[in-house]
């Protein structure tokens, strides 16, 4: 668990958790660490302490299982208070303690370093340092909200605490999170040793007391305009809180608690500040929002990342060479993420010039990465050398996987499938990145439909973490296994769905835009519609995102659906609006610089002034809460249908996919968790009310009624 050694009067305490993939802070490791600290403090032969790790990472954070286990408010408070006690013990033990950060130090792992008197990190761009707790609905409860602002100032600390940014060691040095860099592990330990041998003052600035008994640095806890207590300081906090409220729309309790901790905690001593932090931490860890985010964004996402949906009996495939057909926006992005994962890429377009244009995308991104210090020039060149451009199908020979990303045209897709397959070996997988065409139909062009699968990436490929894997009727478990192995290799999150119109993600996302456009047709103010989307927690307003997707693309999908299913989708309220905008007004969205918004040259975009003439505002505007409900319930009902129809087959994939694909609000835990968030019974009642008022699209399914009557939660019913 912990290696404790003493050499040259220096104690080394190294985390080394044997039965865990990485070092984390849990009950056992904290206790073992505490005992080692006691030993070092009481040993009069020991002059100073180095804290480090024998594993690849330093300490990756707190064990979230521990948080879930310590479920009550009291347990949570007791757990965090114990951690504070341990940290406080070595921080005030008068022997110098130095953190030798040999690997990633996040959350509790970095808070442990903050309580050390000095921090040295290995200069490796893969190492991450920071306090990302807020990203899973929590906040740094191991002293992070107290020590970081005291150390680097409130102004610099708040964005790090509120955005959960992870920094590489060089950036961490610049921001003041660490004191020094080392170029090798040996140098790291040597520097740590030298620092102790130089007899430094083992006193934290927040423990330095002047003759009057005041903390010496207290007056330095400044915000723009003064210190925390000055009128200007207070004003700054009020303004900051308002800004935060605008960003989080009051949906996320953790960032608010961080602000309160910093504000309250920096007016008192460190010990009192830590007590304030513990109190807030215990409260936040009890919130449904934190529990939702931990469950979906941590546990469920990790499960998906590990390949939970992968058939177990098929040996792992090492995808070494990937062919990409079409070097447009998507193909170029897929080439980039594959090449940086160490995969050889054959990038094909209609001419080598076009394929090279696709490769330029990687050249440009890598240039930026070199500037950011993520890659060296040599590494970037190595990555680029993996992308081979071509216009010849025969160059796909030897690929383990081919991903088709040509125009969204069935005939073209069929043609490239057939001309490529001739050159593929028996085991190679052929995947389509189609966004709308059912996979089973596309697989009909293939001689080996069992090796044909859908790999739906999202744009921009390098930033979007999700890949939706679509099983055609004949797709084999082998093709699924290889696809998941590939998605894991490029470090994205896979979800697996069955073939259906719009698959899972586009189908549900389409209800968000459709409901927003329907509201427009009812005379609801467009500004109110957009505000409701954001207040519900969607990242972008429904009209704004419709413009970004492009109305002509939406119209094309409506027409295709109509053709394939006979359902008159162009004759629905939203269908009629989209048709009018495309056919009559020629306002197809952002790419044409005119849609629901207008896009003046040198000014920010704004809602199109002509909207009020086409959709005269209703004399009485609805309450924003009602619009938020319509926006969220419509998506959730569609997700439930996807789940009941077996399009998406696990709660995990439904929740994770909803958040990562189209930004369903994370505080809810995802589109199915939402039902338990509001309670199944409430959900059914509200959905019925919405259906009676606005139409059958909101009507809950028979199964939902059954669950509501069973008294179980949605999750319990299915598990
Ligand atoms: P794009 O228009 O940017 O690129 C398509 C590329 O295919 C062009 O470079 C074109 O020259 C090339 N191409 C055409 N015929 C070819 C052939 N016979 N052999 C090789 N290359 C050929 O299109 P984009 O946006 O990259 O989309 C590609 C596919 O990905 C489409 O099926 C689209 O529906 C799908 N998709 C698009 C998303 C998006 O956000 N744009 C998201 C997810 C999927």
């Amino acid at each position: 668990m912990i290696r404790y050694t003493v050499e040259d009067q220096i104690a080394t305490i190294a985390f080394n958790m044997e039965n865990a993939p990485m070092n984390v802070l849990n009950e056992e490791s904290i206790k073992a660490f505490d005992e080692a600290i006691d030993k070092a403090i009481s040993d009069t032969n020991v002059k100073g302490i180095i804290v480090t790790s024998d594993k690849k990472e330093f300490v990756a954070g707190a064990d979230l299982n521990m948080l879930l286990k310590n479920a009550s408010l009291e347990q949570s408070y007791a757990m965090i208070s114990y951690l504070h006690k341990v940290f406080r013990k070595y921080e005030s033990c008068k022997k110098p303690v130095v953190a030798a950060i040999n690997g990633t130090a996040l959350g509790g792992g970095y808070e442990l370093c903050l309580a050390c008197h000095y921090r040295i990190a290995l200069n490796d761009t893969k190492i991450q340092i920071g306090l990302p707790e807020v990203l899973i609905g929590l906040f740094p409860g191991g002293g992070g909200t107290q020590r970081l602002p005291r150390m680097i100032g409130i102004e610099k600390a708040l964005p790090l605490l509120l955005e959960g940014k992870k920094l590489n060691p060089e950036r961490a040095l610049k921001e003041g999170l660490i004191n020094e860099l080392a170029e090798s592990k040996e140098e790291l330990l040597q520097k740590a040793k030298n620092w102790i041998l130089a007899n430094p003052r083992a006193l934290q600035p927040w423990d330095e007391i002047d003759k009057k008994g005041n903390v010496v640095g207290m007056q330095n806890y400044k915000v723009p305009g003064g210190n925390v207590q000055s009128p200007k300081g207070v004003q700054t906090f009020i303004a900051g809180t308002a800004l935060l409220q605008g960003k989080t729309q009051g949906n996320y309790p953790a960032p608010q608690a961080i602000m309160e901790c910093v504000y309250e905690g920096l007016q008192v001593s460190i010990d009192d500040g830590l007590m304030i932090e513990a109190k807030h931490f215990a409260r936040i860890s009890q919130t449904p929002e934190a529990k939702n985010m931990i469950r979906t964004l941590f546990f469920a996402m990790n499960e998906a990342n590990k390949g939970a949906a992968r058939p177990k009996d098929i040996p792992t495939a090492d995808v070494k060479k990937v062919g990409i057909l079409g070097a447009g926006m998507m193909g170029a992005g897929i080439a980039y993420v594959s090449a940086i994962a160490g995969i050889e890429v054959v990038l094909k377009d209609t001419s080598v010039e076009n394929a090279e244009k696709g490769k330029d995308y990687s050249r440009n991104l890598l240039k930026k990465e070199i500037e950011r210090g993520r890659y060296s020039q040599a590494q970037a060149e190595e990555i680029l050398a993996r992308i081979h451009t071509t216009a010849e199908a025969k160059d796909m020979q030897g690929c383990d996987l081919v991903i088709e990303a040509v125009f969204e045209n069935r005939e073209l897709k069929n043609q490239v499938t057939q001309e490529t397959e001739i050159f593929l070996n028996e085991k190679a997988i052929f995947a389509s990145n189609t966004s709308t065409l059912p996979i089973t139909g596309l697989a009909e062009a293939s001689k080996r439909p069992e090796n044909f699968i859908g790999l739906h990436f999202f744009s921009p490929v390098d930033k979007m973490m999700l890949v939706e894997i679509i099983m055609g009727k004949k797709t084999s478990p082998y093709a699924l296994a290889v696809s998941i192995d590939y998605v894991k290799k490029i470090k994205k999150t896979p979800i697996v769905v069955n073939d259906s119109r719009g698959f899972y993600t586009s189908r549900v996302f389409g209800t968000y835009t459709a409901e927003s456009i329907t509201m427009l047709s009812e005379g609801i103010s467009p500004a109110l519609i957009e505000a409701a989307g954001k207040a519900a927690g969607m990242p972008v307003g429904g009209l704004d995102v419709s413009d970004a997707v492009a109305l002509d693309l939406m119209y094309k999908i409506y027409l295709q659906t109509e053709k394939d299913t006979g359902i008159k989708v162009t004759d629905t309220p939203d269908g009629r609006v989209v048709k009018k905008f495309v056919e009559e007004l020629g306002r197809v969205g952002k790419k044409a610089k005119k849609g629901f918004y207008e896009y003046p040259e040198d000014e920010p975009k704004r809602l199109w002034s002509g909207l009020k003439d086409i959709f005269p505002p209703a004399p009485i505007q609805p309450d924003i809460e009602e619009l938020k409900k319509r926006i969220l319930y419509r998506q959730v009902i569609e997700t439930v249908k996807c789940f009941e129809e077996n399009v998406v087959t696990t709660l995990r994939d439904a929740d994770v996919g909803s958040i990562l694909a189209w930004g369903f609000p994370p505080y809810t835990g995802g589109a199915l968790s939402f039902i338990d968030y509001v309670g199944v019974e409430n959900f059914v009642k509200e959905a019925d009310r919405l259906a009676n008022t606005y139409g059958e699209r909101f009507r809950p399914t028979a199964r939902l009624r059954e669950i509501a009557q069973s008294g179980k939660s949605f999750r319990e019913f299915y598990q």
Side-chain angles (χ1 to χ4, degrees):
M1 186 76 68
I2 296 271
R3 175 173 62 83
Y4 180 84
T5 46
V6 179
E7 204 186 298
D8 302 335
Q9 293 189 291
I10 293 174
T12 298
I13 299 176
F15 278 82
N16 189 9
M17 295 176 72
E18 297 88 5
N19 299 321
M22 50 179 81
N23 292 325
V24 287
L25 293 182
N26 61 19
E27 276 128 338
E28 295 81 45
S29 67
I30 298 171
K31 190 158 176 287
F33 178 59
D34 188 17
E35 284 164 7
I37 287 289
D38 278 340
K39 235 198 250 176
I41 293 175
S42 59
D43 185 345
T44 48
N45 184 38
V46 167
K47 271 178 73 166
I49 305 166
I50 299 175
V51 184
T52 187
S53 141
D54 285 340
K55 284 203 158 184
K56 194 165 133 262
E57 72 291 333
F58 179 77
V59 176
D63 183 351
L64 292 172
N65 282 308
M66 169 177 72
L67 289 183
L68 293 187
K69 218 163 68 189
N70 289 301
S72 75
L73 192 74
E74 293 73 25
Q75 283 171 321
S76 191
Y77 186 81
M79 180 191 73
I80 210 71
S81 302
Y82 175 50
L83 192 65
H84 282 167
K85 200 176 114 208
V86 177
F87 287 3
R88 209 53 197 126
K89 192 192 296 179
Y90 62 82
E91 163 170 87
S92 51
C93 77
K94 301 206 171 70
K95 294 186 183 185
V97 185
V98 48
I101 308 170
N102 61 300
T104 287
L106 293 173
Y110 176 62
E111 289 175 302
L112 186 155
C113 305
L114 275 172
C116 295
H117 304 107
Y118 199 70
R119 288 151 291 274
I120 313 172
L122 188 62
N123 190 12
D124 175 344
T125 51
K126 286 194 199 76
I127 292 177
Q128 298 182 319
I129 296 172
L131 300 170
E133 288 91 335
V134 74
L135 301 177
I136 47 167
L138 288 175
F139 78 89
T145 68
Q146 299 305 305
R147 293 191 179 90
L148 190 64
R150 279 174 165 85
M151 193 172 88
I152 65 171
I154 296 171
E155 218 182 330
K156 274 171 123 185
L158 271 180
L160 290 169
L161 294 164
L162 293 171
E163 290 162 29
K165 266 195 203 142
K166 302 169 198 167
L167 310 180
N168 67 29
E170 222 168 274
R171 283 279 317 278
L173 179 70
K174 233 190 238 161
E175 298 291 324
L177 271 68
I178 56 169
N179 306 88
E180 213 182 319
L181 291 173
E183 294 307 320
S184 67
K185 183 122 195 240
E186 294 69 44
E187 191 188 50
L188 177 72
L189 294 175
Q190 192 55 51
K191 279 190 166 177
K193 215 168 155 183
N194 293 348
W195 182 77
I196 292 173
L197 293 175
N199 286 318
R201 244 181 119 208
L203 189 66
Q204 300 283 32
W206 42 88
D207 281 329
E208 209 150 335
I209 309 290
D210 67 14
K211 281 191 194 121
K212 287 188 195 147
N214 297 321
V215 177
V216 171
M218 193 85 140
Q219 64 278 14
N220 295 329
Y221 301 154
K222 280 186 179 146
V223 290
N227 65 23
V228 188
Q229 285 155 307
S230 69
K232 275 209 162 166
V234 173
Q235 259 175 26
T236 308
F237 261 89
I238 293 172
T241 307
L243 200 76
L244 188 68
Q245 174 70 14
K247 267 193 180 167
T248 62
Q249 302 276 343
N251 291 323
Y252 297 87
Q256 192 56 46
I258 290 175
M259 286 294 266
E260 286 170 31
C261 269
V262 174
Y263 182 69
E264 294 170 23
L266 268 74
Q267 301 184 44
V268 294
S269 72
I270 183 83
D271 286 307
D272 290 344
L274 289 171
M275 257 158 67
I276 291 171
E277 188 189 74
K279 185 189 77 185
H280 280 292
F281 180 87
R283 177 175 64 81
I284 290 299
S285 66
Q286 298 298 305
T287 58
E289 290 79 10
K291 286 182 182 164
N292 284 341
M293 288 169 81
I294 292 173
R295 189 182 56 248
T296 303
L297 293 178
F298 190 79
F299 287 107
M301 204 153 98
N302 277 351
E303 259 183 43
N305 287 342
K306 282 187 194 146
R310 188 186 186 284
K312 304 276 172 291
D313 47 350
I314 297 169
T316 310
D318 187 9
V319 177
K320 292 201 179 90
K321 188 171 172 187
V322 166
I324 296 165
L325 308 175
M329 185 166 88
M330 297 305 288
I334 300 168
Y336 173 74
V337 296
S338 302
I340 57 172
I343 299 172
E344 291 296 318
V345 175
V346 185
L347 182 59
K348 175 184 177 281
D349 208 287
T350 45
S351 65
V352 174
E353 289 77 19
N354 278 349
E356 279 292 321
K357 267 190 215 147
K359 188 172 172 177
D360 282 343
Y361 182 76
S362 291
R363 292 192 179 97
N364 291 335
L365 279 184
L366 284 167
K367 214 184 275 169
K368 285 191 199 132
E369 292 293 2
I370 295 173
E371 281 162 19
R372 282 194 201 119
R374 247 201 98 200
Y375 293 118
S376 66
Q377 184 70 34
Q379 282 169 321
E381 276 166 24
E382 223 173 89
I383 293 167
L384 277 178
R386 281 190 210 117
I387 305 178
H388 313 277
T389 53
T390 182
E392 304 286 333
K394 71 170 170 26
D395 290 334
M396 293 293 151
Q397 249 163 16
C399 284
D400 304 299
L401 167 70
V402 172
I403 302 167
E404 167 280 301
V406 300
F407 301 128
E408 188 75 345
N409 172 305
R410 194 188 305 270
E411 287 70 38
L412 177 64
K413 289 192 188 283
N414 289 349
Q415 180 209 320
V416 300
T417 304
Q418 286 165 352
E419 74 183 22
T420 308
E421 268 185 355
I422 311 169
F423 299 104
L424 297 184
N425 67 37
E426 214 180 300
K427 292 204 125 184
I429 304 303
F430 191 97
S432 174
N433 179 48
T434 176
S435 42
T436 57
L437 302 167
I439 292 299
T440 308
L442 288 178
E444 280 167 16
S446 165
K447 281 212 187 76
R448 321 159 317 147
E450 66 282 4
N451 281 10
F452 198 103
I453 199 163
L455 281 182
H456 183 202
F457 285 81
F458 297 81
S459 171
V461 179
D462 60 302
K463 297 223 169 68
M464 296 293 281
M465 290 317 296
L466 192 76
V467 179
E468 184 179 26
I469 301 181
I470 303 124
M471 299 290 283
K473 281 229 165 66
K474 296 188 178 161
T475 306
S476 66
Y478 171 74
L480 173 61
V482 175
S483 299
I484 291 185
D485 292 339
Y486 164 69
V487 174
K488 277 172 75 178
K489 191 161 178 179
I490 59 171
K491 297 208 162 56
K492 301 237 175 249
T493 301
I495 62 165
V496 182
V497 308
N498 286 313
D499 205 6
S500 140
R501 180 162 304 285
F503 317 127
Y504 162 52
T505 60
S506 308
R507 176 170 154 185
V508 185
F509 169 67
T511 60
Y512 174 43
T513 50
E515 197 56 29
S516 304
I517 298 171
T518 303
M519 290 174 183
L520 192 62
S521 75
E522 293 168 11
I524 297 173
S525 144
L528 185 58
I529 299 171
E530 298 298 74
K534 283 191 244 166
M538 300 299 295
V540 187
L543 302 176
D544 192 353
V545 77
S546 299
D547 264 11
V549 169
L551 301 183
D552 56 345
L553 178 64
M554 276 157 78
Y555 188 48
K556 212 171 129 191
I557 297 170
Y558 282 24
L559 289 176
Q560 187 69 44
T561 310
E562 214 159 85
K563 198 170 136 200
D564 295 349
T565 65
I567 302 167
K568 290 293 279 175
V569 264
T570 54
D571 207 17
T572 54
D574 56 298
R576 283 192 292 271
V577 173
V578 173
K579 184 174 177 182
K580 187 181 179 78
F581 269 65
V582 176
E583 285 194 349
E584 281 177 38
L585 303 173
R587 300 188 70 92
V588 299
K590 191 176 174 187
K591 64 181 178 188
K593 299 206 159 133
K594 49 183 188 176
F596 294 130
Y597 280 73
E598 48 195 351
Y599 300 81
E601 272 306 317
D602 299 316
E603 285 170 55
K605 68 168 186 270
R606 57 185 173 231
L607 282 154
W608 178 41
S609 56
L611 288 177
K612 60 181 177 311
D613 303 323
I614 306 174
F615 310 106
I620 299 174
Q621 291 289 315
D623 195 287
I624 193 166
E625 290 303 318
E626 180 75 349
L627 301 184
K628 276 164 67 179
K629 271 199 188 132
R630 284 176 65 174
I631 283 167
L632 293 173
Y633 275 64
R634 174 116 188 237
Q635 295 176 62
V636 174
I637 289 280
E638 195 66 26
T639 306
V640 168
K641 287 181 185 162
C642 284
F643 187 56
E644 290 184 7
E645 289 165 23
N646 222 22
V647 172
V648 61
T649 61
T650 61
L651 271 74
R652 176 194 65 232
D653 284 2
D655 278 344
V656 169
S658 68
I659 295 175
L660 293 190
W662 74 91
F664 193 83
Y667 67 88
T668 65
L672 287 183
S673 280
F674 179 87
I675 300 168
D676 287 336
Y677 182 55
V678 298
V680 197
E681 233 178 305
N682 277 338
F683 182 85
V684 168
K685 219 190 281 165
E686 266 310 288
D688 268 329
R689 185 188 66 77
L690 291 169
N692 295 339
T693 319
Y694 305 104
E696 286 306 304
R697 61 189 183 280
F698 290 102
R699 189 71 66 197
T701 63
R703 179 74 59 78
L704 270 173
R705 286 184 204 288
E706 196 189 315
I707 304 172
Q709 274 159 13
S710 76
K712 289 185 176 156
S713 70
F714 189 83
R715 183 166 299 274
E716 281 162 358
F717 185 85
Y718 282 104
Q719 274 170 355

